[in-house]
Amino acid sequence: MQSTLSIQDLNTTPSSKRIFIVGGGIVGAALAFYLSKANTDRHIILLDRSLKKSLGSTGHAPGFVGQLNESAVLTRLARDTVAEYLTVPGGFNTVGGLELASTEAGVQTLQSRCEKARAVGLSAEMISAEDAAALAPDFIDPETVRTGLYFPSDGTANAQVITSYFTQEARDREVDFLEVDVVGFARNDGEIEAIRTADGDINLTGSSVILATGIWTSSLTGDKEVQITNFPVPIIPVAHPYTFTHPRPARSGKAYPFVRWPEHHVYARDHGDHDGLGSYDHAPLELKPEHSAIGTWPSSFDKVLSEATSHLKNGRDFLVQGRQDDSDPFEEKKPFNGIFSVTPDNLPLAGRVSDVENLWLCAAIWVTTAAGTAKLIAREVLRGSQDGISDSDVEVLKALEPARFQGVEGEVLTTQALERYNNIYNKEQ
Ligand SMILES: Cc1cc2nc3c(=O)[nH]c(=O)nc-3n(C[C@H](O)[C@H](O)[C@H](O)COP(=O)(O)OP(=O)(O)OC[C@H]3O[C@@H](n4cnc5c(N)ncnc54)[C@H](O)[C@@H]3O)c2cc1C
Ligand SMILES: *[C@@H]1O[C@H](CO)[C@@H](O)[C@H](O)[C@H]1NC(C)=O
Ligand SMILES: *[C@@H]1O[C@H](CO)[C@@H](O)[C@H](O)[C@H]1NC(C)=O
């Protein structure tokens, strides 16, 4: 993809009508899409250091979308998101989501989730071990589980297909894309006055910037030398192992649902011509990302994966030994360490940064909630203060407010965020 304009073009014709989006993963692309769909005179420009190949988390996500979250805000955003993905050609497969339990406590957790889902109008059903195994026979040995919870409207999002669609639609509506490495910002008088890039500064003259930079966000909002905002931005990148089976013929019959073993912090999906599996069953591992969302392979992950695969009937078909080399592990279908973000309360940081007039964040967002969140933030960016807004939107925006961690020590926030990593049902909430 060719960049359509240059930094020089931008600087020779200053304008306060611009909105810059930094980051072209699923979140940045969705922002470009929704901003460009609105009837506005604003000029939208998306910056990413790599437009041809997705280097961010979006390029590596298996894309499970489970809509029922213990956070009502995330449930609402996930439902909005699924409604959007269903309109994208090839974007979403409603294969269902299946959770399994083998202990009494696990069964009770699933029962209470089932009730919670129904209370908010999401379809959910408790099913027997045999019925669960029949939905994904190669994965599930009915002897090893007591019950299942099935969510028929969940499924898998094809994050790259969706991102390409949003990008193309945005281009068709005259969004400009510029391939450039953003290295920082110049702040003056409570405003960002320039975006610093490896190819020179971009003058902002009153325009806005939205950071959709995923795991790189906190490295851009300020280190010790240059602090862009005085609020903490606790978006903590963490390591996560994912692996595959060797290629196999496609299965006939009904597609497998996405399967989770919450008691073991393991999940698996059918990728068509091979299977994939991920595990959260290890101590959280904070990581500083380089240029891509794939980190070096910690040797301890070999054991994590071999334990994880022991819960699947076809566990032996999975590769469990990682090895570091230069090939793309997602393309090569071998174990990899994918990086994504955690936050102290599991919620994204999305909205205007209240101590910087023209800076917005839209980060720490999963594929599961990307379109719904981006749509809401796009509307906020364009909203004149007089316009009406629903009470439920006000509530969601308040929950996502980037300044909400004010006054809490950075180390405390990091610890809280890391605790979220493998606590998938957040029992303390
Ligand atoms: C192994 C793995 C499994 C996952 N499983 C799931 C799942 O099942 N379900 C789910 O919902 N989510 C899952 N996720 C999480 C999901 O992938 C991410 O939350 C989501 O893709 C984040 O999208 P994003 O657009 O915010 O970030 P990214 O896709 O990371 O995009 C950020 C973009 O910003 C650009 N950028 C960053 N800094 C700069 C800079 N300084 N200058 C220029 N450009 C910059 C990057 O190049 C990148 O393109 C998983 C992630 C991984 C890694
Ligand atoms: C940006 O452009 C404006 C208007 O042309 C000018 O007044 C300002 O000095 C420029 N700022 C920077 C940082 O170059
Ligand atoms: C709720 O969402 C958070 C953040 O995306 C995630 O870590 C957690 O696993 C989700 N809970 C369930 C039950 O899926």
Side-chain angles (χ1 to χ4, degrees):
M1 280 183 211
Q2 215 59 52
S3 293
T4 40
L5 86 176
S6 70
I7 292 179
Q8 205 185 355
D9 295 338
L10 289 168
N11 287 338
T12 49
T13 54
S15 157
S16 59
K17 293 216 175 294
R18 293 180 181 138
I19 300 171
F20 290 89
I21 300 164
V22 186
I26 195 162
V27 173
L31 282 166
F33 174 70
Y34 294 111
L35 285 168
S36 67
K37 266 179 80 169
N39 199 2
T40 164
D41 60 349
R42 310 291 287 272
H43 176 194
I44 296 138
I45 302 142
L46 186 147
L47 313 175
D48 197 301
R49 60 163 75 102
S50 170
L51 290 172
K52 280 153 279 220
K53 186 177 186 319
S54 168
L55 298 179
S57 308
T58 302
H60 316 296
F64 174 54
V65 178
Q67 295 165 90
L68 181 70
N69 199 277
E70 48 289 331
S71 151
V73 167
L74 290 179
T75 302
R76 136 100 204 256
L77 291 170
R79 296 176 85 178
D80 291 353
T81 297
V82 169
E84 298 294 318
Y85 291 167
L86 285 169
T87 69
V88 176
F92 191 79
N93 300 320
T94 314
V95 293
L98 175 62
E99 294 172 9
L100 301 170
S102 57
T103 64
E104 186 50 38
V107 171
Q108 274 174 23
T109 306
L110 295 191
Q111 272 162 352
S112 96
R113 273 174 64 71
C114 186
E115 281 160 26
K116 232 173 148 179
R118 289 179 170 179
V120 298
L122 267 174
S123 49
E125 198 187 334
M126 295 300 294
I127 60 176
S128 68
E130 289 70 32
D131 289 348
L135 289 171
D138 291 349
F139 290 173
I140 304 165
D141 175 354
E143 299 297 313
T144 63
V145 293
R146 282 172 65 165
T147 190
L149 169 59
Y150 181 56
F151 293 103
S153 67
D154 283 348
T156 50
N158 298 313
Q160 280 167 306
V161 169
I162 294 166
T163 305
S164 305
Y165 173 84
F166 284 156
T167 301
Q168 191 52 49
E169 290 279 312
R171 264 179 211 283
D172 292 348
R173 295 193 188 86
E174 289 171 6
V175 173
D176 277 305
F177 288 75
L178 185 57
E179 190 166 272
V180 71
D181 199 350
V182 173
V183 297
F185 302 96
R187 182 186 159 155
N188 188 25
D189 255 359
E191 238 187 55
I192 306 276
E193 60 173 9
I195 303 178
R196 299 208 185 288
T197 81
D199 304 330
D201 287 3
I202 302 174
N203 185 335
L204 273 191
T205 57
S207 297
S208 309
V209 190
I210 315 173
L211 298 188
T213 38
I215 57 174
W216 290 278
T217 306
S218 57
S219 68
L220 280 170
T221 50
D223 48 31
K224 284 170 193 82
E225 284 153 54
V226 202
Q227 202 69 38
I228 296 304
T229 162
N230 293 314
F231 299 120
V233 179
I235 297 178
I236 314 298
V238 290
H240 181 67
Y242 194 80
T243 190
F244 302 96
T245 60
H246 287 294
R248 51 154 177 76
R251 296 187 174 102
S252 57
K254 199 162 171 267
Y256 278 17
F258 193 102
V259 184
R260 305 210 272 187
W261 288 258
E263 296 157 331
H264 305 296
H265 305 279
V266 171
Y267 61 90
R269 79 163 280 196
D270 177 346
H271 283 280
D273 59 0
H274 58 278
D275 298 320
L277 169 147
S279 173
Y280 290 87
D281 197 11
H282 62 94
L285 193 58
E286 185 183 358
L287 204 85
K288 200 173 162 55
E290 306 282 334
H291 265 43
S292 103
I294 293 193
T296 52
W297 180 259
S299 56
S300 60
F301 276 2
D302 288 354
K303 186 158 172 269
V304 173
L305 286 184
S306 58
E307 278 174 14
T309 52
S310 72
H311 302 293
L312 273 75
K313 196 167 141 196
N314 69 339
R316 285 209 191 83
D317 297 346
F318 287 84
L319 298 161
V320 295
Q321 266 174 348
R323 191 164 48 87
Q324 213 61 46
D325 58 37
D326 284 340
S327 62
D328 181 331
F330 198 79
E331 264 163 37
E332 299 284 319
K333 309 294 179 234
K334 54 185 201 190
F336 71 95
N337 169 13
I339 310 173
F340 57 74
S341 318
V342 287
T343 64
D345 57 6
N346 256 346
L347 295 173
L349 277 78
R352 201 172 72 79
V353 178
S354 46
D355 64 342
V356 191
E357 189 52 40
N358 56 347
L359 179 65
W360 294 71
L361 295 187
C362 203
I365 298 169
W366 280 44
V367 168
T368 301
T369 48
T373 312
K375 192 175 182 182
L376 186 63
I377 295 302
R379 213 171 61 207
E380 276 304 284
V381 170
L382 297 175
R383 190 164 71 92
S385 51
Q386 266 72 282
D387 305 358
I389 178 168
S390 74
D391 289 349
S392 85
D393 284 357
V394 170
E395 194 190 313
V396 171
L397 288 163
K398 197 164 159 254
L400 308 183
E401 165 65 58
R404 68 185 181 274
F405 301 106
Q406 182 177 24
V408 189
E409 272 307 311
E411 266 177 47
V412 172
L413 291 171
T414 301
T415 307
Q416 288 175 351
L418 292 174
E419 280 168 2
R420 296 289 183 177
Y421 174 76
N422 40 17
N423 182 14
I424 96 159
Y425 291 136
N426 300 308
K427 297 188 183 70
E428 79 270 27
Q429 261 188 358

